[in-house]
Amino acid sequence: MPADCAAPPADFNFAGHLLAINADRAAKTAYIDDRGRLTYGELDEKVRRAAAALLGLGIRPEDRVLLLMNDCTDWPVTFLGALYAGVVPVAVNTLLTPADYAYMLEHSRARAVLVSRALLAKVSAALGTCRHCVQHIIVSRDGADADLGGTLDFDEWLAGREPLAAPAATLADEPAFWLYSSGSTGKPKGTVHTHANPYWTAELYAKPVLGMCESDTVFSAAKLFFAYGLGNALTFPLSVGASVVLMAERPTPEACFARLTRLRPTIFCGAPTGYAGMLASPALPARADVALRLCSSAGEALPQEIGERFTAHFGCEIIDGIGSTEMLHIFISNRAGDVRYGTTGKPVEGYEVELRGEDGKPVGVGEIGDLYIRGPSSALMYWNNRDKSRETFQGAWTKSGDKYSRDADGYYTYAGRSDDMLKVSGQYVSPFEVEATLVQHPAVLEAAVIGVADTDGLTKTKAYVVVKPGQQADDALAAELKAFVKSRLAPHKYPRQIEFVGDLPKTATGKIQRFRLREQETAQAAQGVHA
């Protein structure tokens, strides 16, 4: 642990901590959303009103409430209001189905739902199939009038309460909030975090690595329901008194450009897919039209070519790192002035990292191993899922499910998810390594690589490729791409097959879902057998 990083006290409420450290910034802008601005003073009052309003509904400390809102100022008010009251907010993805929400409501036993008007129909459909009885629905109007059908209006609900005078007497190590892990298979896992966990991510990453400070304005394309976005747009800026830009709509390149040029944030946080889309857009703004001093990337490893092109255009480094829902934010990262594109950088001070082989022992330099992390922001457990909890949270260590290698200089390089790794000709192949090479070709926008069985039942690599606008996707380009990869990687790694597609399956947070491509291949193979 860094010598100058003090642990929070045993009695600790994270929302109370944030309000206290910003008490002298009452007139400063905390949030800018699509409707207007919210000062730190207004945030303080609304958070404490939300806390009182939750308790006024008969919701008790440690009860859960589901938070399903698009990014607007009502989101941090609700999240922090729940923490302030000792209530546990369960922040969920806004892009899921009613069936997903029905599962989450039953799994969390949430006593109330706080929802954006635009998402109310999904909640209503979920409640129609849900055995668990939600007692209250509070609707944020998103700045529009609507018939809320017997639910509570968010603004009226807040206005009817006196602000709660003091935060709940919570402990640093007690459950504060849940985030659902977007696993590639099976049901999502309710990941339980403490009041101390976000404090640690700010102290260990936001301040020393991003160098975030009061004069910054932060804009995160990653949404608040995502662990990465929660740090970017709430924990980090509020821990230093910075301002935050929130955007309710999808983070398309054009939507991001509008905020980057009009509001001129100094820090932008995105994902590799988003950075690739921005660079490919004809509307890409000039360097002089933005005020960026630093960018952050997570969700997937950032291809070297994307990082280098972005920096060449904007004169601004992208600090690529890896975090997880289980660790709450980034624990390996590049640093400003020490960015080695194509790698994820070095461990963040305060975290320990090990790469272990199949025998559980540490691997050597240059060898691929399973990534384990030890640090103070690790989640407590997966709620009601002991088997998965034991598999992931192993004593002081958390198993990430990622594979990495480490070079002689101590830089870590992503080798793929543990369940995505391929063994071709008896040797491991990282799909990401092949994908990162493919996107260096000027015709390629995105690529995803999986393993498929050949006629002898042996695993070979297959690439799904999205080409840039104006490029001809044909056999000639496929042959050119194979030769391109061969010229840069070991011969056994080049994709034996290339299929051109219009887009790639992704999670709501932009991660490529290779398992969907594997399922597609399996289905096609089965059809071929039965044809």
Side-chain angles (χ1 to χ4, degrees):
M1 195 65 58
D4 59 347
C5 187
D11 298 312
F12 183 72
N13 181 289
F14 184 65
H17 163 72
L18 290 181
L19 297 189
I21 63 175
N22 289 299
D24 294 334
R25 298 187 176 99
K28 183 181 179 184
T29 296
Y31 281 101
I32 308 164
D33 70 2
D34 299 336
R35 296 177 293 178
R37 293 172 181 257
L38 189 72
T39 66
Y40 271 99
E42 292 165 336
L43 176 66
D44 182 292
E45 181 182 0
K46 283 195 166 188
V47 165
R48 293 188 295 115
R49 283 187 186 276
L54 285 167
L55 296 175
L57 294 176
I59 296 171
R60 300 162 299 183
E62 299 185 17
D63 282 344
R64 272 86 63 192
V65 295
L66 199 79
L67 173 50
L68 176 61
M69 286 185 184
N70 292 318
D71 280 18
C72 65
T73 56
D74 290 347
W75 203 108
V77 166
T78 299
F79 183 84
L80 293 173
L83 265 60
Y84 199 84
V87 174
V88 179
V90 179
V92 298
N93 190 328
T94 58
L95 303 175
L96 302 179
T97 66
D100 293 317
Y101 298 132
Y103 168 78
M104 291 172 177
L105 286 167
E106 291 190 5
H107 183 245
S108 67
R109 295 177 185 164
R111 296 192 60 202
V113 179
L114 296 104
V115 59
S116 290
R117 177 187 55 82
L119 300 167
L120 181 57
K122 286 188 176 183
V123 168
S124 299
L127 291 173
T129 62
C130 183
R131 293 172 296 176
H132 173 65
C133 183
V134 170
Q135 294 156 321
H136 307 282
I137 301 175
I138 301 99
V139 182
S140 167
R141 289 179 182 266
D142 299 335
D145 292 327
D147 179 6
L148 302 181
T151 62
L152 296 172
D153 175 74
F154 186 86
D155 291 330
E156 293 175 3
W157 176 67
L158 284 191
R161 290 286 170 179
E162 285 297 316
L164 193 64
T170 53
L171 300 175
D173 285 340
E174 77 176 71
F177 60 95
W178 295 14
L179 301 171
Y180 274 96
S181 178
S182 57
S184 59
T185 58
K187 294 289 187 182
K189 301 180 288 293
T191 311
V192 182
H193 281 285
T194 71
H195 278 271
N197 285 3
Y199 168 88
W200 283 118
T201 63
E203 294 300 312
L204 297 177
Y205 186 74
K207 296 177 183 180
V209 178
L210 294 179
M212 195 177 291
C213 60
E214 184 177 5
S215 61
D216 279 314
T217 297
V218 185
F219 173 36
S220 175
K223 301 298 185 180
L224 280 161
F225 65 77
F226 183 25
Y228 177 51
L230 178 64
N232 301 336
L234 191 150
T235 301
F236 295 175
L238 298 192
S239 291
V240 298
S243 300
V244 186
V245 175
L246 294 178
M247 178 175 70
E249 65 185 294
R250 288 179 56 248
T252 62
E254 291 70 28
C256 291
F257 295 157
R259 276 81 180 175
L260 289 172
T261 56
R262 178 169 56 88
L263 299 172
R264 297 178 67 83
T266 55
I267 297 177
F268 175 72
C269 308
T273 298
Y275 286 114
M278 291 167 72
L279 289 170
S281 171
L284 183 69
R287 180 186 298 193
D289 294 333
V290 303
L292 294 172
R293 71 166 185 83
L294 190 68
C295 290
S296 169
S297 180
E300 286 192 301
L302 180 73
Q304 178 178 349
E305 185 261 353
I306 296 297
E308 290 175 346
R309 285 176 54 209
F310 191 92
T311 297
H313 182 84
F314 286 112
C316 168
E317 292 177 317
I318 300 177
I319 307 300
D320 186 29
I322 179 174
S324 68
T325 305
E326 291 76 11
M327 294 302 297
L328 191 56
H329 215 274
I330 289 171
F331 46 82
I332 301 177
S333 182
N334 281 275
R335 280 120 170 115
D338 185 26
V339 172
R340 187 173 294 191
Y341 286 127
T343 80
T344 312
K346 296 180 178 180
V348 172
E349 191 175 1
Y351 293 91
E352 294 180 61
V353 170
E354 282 190 3
L355 300 182
R356 301 177 187 174
E358 295 177 2
D359 59 2
K361 297 179 181 179
V363 300
V365 171
E367 296 179 355
I368 292 173
D370 291 305
L371 177 64
Y372 288 76
I373 315 100
R374 178 162 64 183
S377 63
S378 176
L380 291 173
M381 66 180 127
Y382 298 130
W383 189 261
N384 283 350
N385 196 335
R386 181 172 291 190
D387 287 344
K388 284 291 185 183
S389 293
R390 285 174 169 170
E391 181 182 322
T392 299
F393 305 108
Q394 301 180 11
W397 293 90
T398 299
K399 184 178 182 180
S400 73
D402 297 289
K403 285 188 178 288
Y404 264 81
S405 65
R406 183 187 70 256
D407 67 18
D409 295 326
Y411 292 85
Y412 285 72
T413 299
Y414 183 64
R417 291 289 296 173
S418 297
D419 53 2
D420 285 334
M421 288 294 290
L422 308 174
K423 214 164 193 180
V424 179
S425 301
Q427 302 175 72
Y428 275 118
V429 174
S430 162
F432 177 77
E433 183 183 24
V434 183
E435 293 161 5
T437 303
L438 282 165
V439 298
Q440 294 175 33
H441 191 282
V444 176
L445 177 62
E446 292 182 309
V449 172
I450 64 169
V452 297
D454 64 13
T455 54
D456 296 320
L458 300 174
T459 298
K460 304 297 181 186
T461 47
K462 176 176 179 177
Y464 290 81
V465 172
V466 180
V467 299
K468 292 178 181 176
Q471 297 293 329
Q472 186 68 34
D474 54 20
D475 290 344
L477 179 58
E480 184 179 332
L481 293 177
K482 290 179 183 179
F484 184 80
V485 175
K486 275 185 181 180
S487 69
R488 286 160 172 77
L489 299 179
H492 69 279
K493 296 181 180 181
Y494 87 92
R496 284 4 182 232
Q497 301 178 46
I498 290 181
E499 182 173 334
F500 295 106
V501 294
D503 54 46
L504 297 172
K506 299 187 182 79
T507 67
T509 53
K511 296 180 183 178
I512 295 172
Q513 295 176 307
R514 297 181 188 85
F515 75 97
R516 297 288 185 201
L517 299 174
R518 291 195 292 268
E519 289 173 351
Q520 177 182 312
E521 286 289 335
T522 300
Q524 290 175 347
Q527 290 174 357
V529 168
H530 296 297

